[in-house]
Amino acid sequence: YGSGSETVIANNNYWGTNGIQTTEYVNYSPWLVNKTGTSPQTYKVDDTGSIQDAIDAAEAGDTIEVAAGTYEESLNIDKGITLKSINDKEATIKGVVNIDSDGVTLKKFDVSPDADTIESKEQVIRVSGSNILLESNKVSVEGSPEPNNISGVDVHSIHGIHVWSADGISGVEVRNNIVENIYFAGQD
């Protein structure tokens, strides 16, 4: 943040090293914890940033720490990273989480998409990788999902944590998670 004609020091930032002269306020989201180019890297995301952007920038083995706040996004985790909330379940993901890689840890999140944003027969957390740790998360759906007509029957069906793979998976650990307000109801 600045207040007037100040130089903001932006050493070792995502785009390189430079100082920026500004006469406006500067909003920023601190992202990298370690010096650029080191591995593994730790990324930090606050509620002005995007968790998915940090996932896209990360490499296998990196950690992403997420500050308290509400994140209106679904996540696609396609590399072996650790994604954790800094405060116990105070980071809320208002979308679904798809884990499509081995070696992923998801820890201490409230994953609770709104029912009107999730399709019937969809999963709140879908796992299709091996050596996965889901620990201390709260998984729920806010509201009631719209029915999906299956063979003439209206079905409300949302899966909380769904582990699936056509090739077989192993080493999935689901520890100390709370799953609530998940739906399966049908009517003729």
Side-chain angles (χ1 to χ4, degrees):
Y1 294 84
S3 59
S5 183
E6 300 175 12
T7 298
V8 177
I9 304 303
N11 292 333
N12 297 318
N13 65 49
Y14 186 74
W15 299 274
T17 300
N18 57 22
I20 302 168
Q21 187 71 30
T22 181
T23 58
E24 303 288 325
Y25 287 102
V26 176
N27 290 324
Y28 70 97
S29 177
W31 221 18
L32 295 176
V33 173
N34 302 324
K35 184 176 179 182
T36 304
T38 61
S39 185
Q41 188 65 259
T42 300
Y43 294 83
K44 298 226 183 230
V45 178
D46 66 18
D47 63 356
T48 66
S50 164
I51 299 170
Q52 186 64 54
D53 285 350
I55 292 168
D56 293 344
E59 296 180 13
D62 288 350
T63 297
I64 300 170
E65 296 177 345
V66 180
T70 300
Y71 299 84
E72 301 276 346
E73 59 185 321
S74 289
L75 304 180
N76 292 305
I77 304 172
D78 59 357
K79 57 194 80 165
I81 60 170
T82 296
L83 182 62
K84 63 183 180 179
S85 172
I86 296 170
N87 301 29
D88 192 26
K89 295 179 207 69
E90 290 183 17
T92 301
I93 299 168
K94 298 297 283 181
V96 298
V97 176
N98 293 308
I99 300 173
D100 294 320
S101 180
D102 296 339
V104 173
T105 296
L106 181 70
K107 192 172 184 178
K108 297 184 179 181
F109 284 94
D110 177 354
V111 184
S112 55
D114 292 324
D116 60 352
T117 64
I118 187 169
E119 297 290 327
S120 184
K121 297 184 70 184
E122 195 169 11
Q123 306 85 28
V124 178
I125 298 177
R126 182 182 58 81
V127 176
S128 59
S130 293
N131 303 314
I132 306 296
L133 174 60
L134 303 176
E135 183 175 15
S136 301
N137 298 293
K138 177 184 171 197
V139 179
S140 64
V141 174
E142 302 294 326
S144 297
E146 290 296 317
N148 186 12
N149 192 285
I150 300 172
S151 300
V153 176
D154 284 338
V155 175
H156 298 273
S157 174
I158 304 292
H159 302 274
I161 297 173
H162 186 83
V163 179
W164 180 86
S165 175
D167 299 325
I169 56 177
S170 64
V172 176
E173 187 173 350
V174 179
R175 184 179 351 161
N176 298 323
N177 291 277
I178 298 168
V179 179
E180 60 187 16
N181 297 333
I182 301 300
Y183 299 93
F184 185 83
Q187 58 185 350
D188 292 353

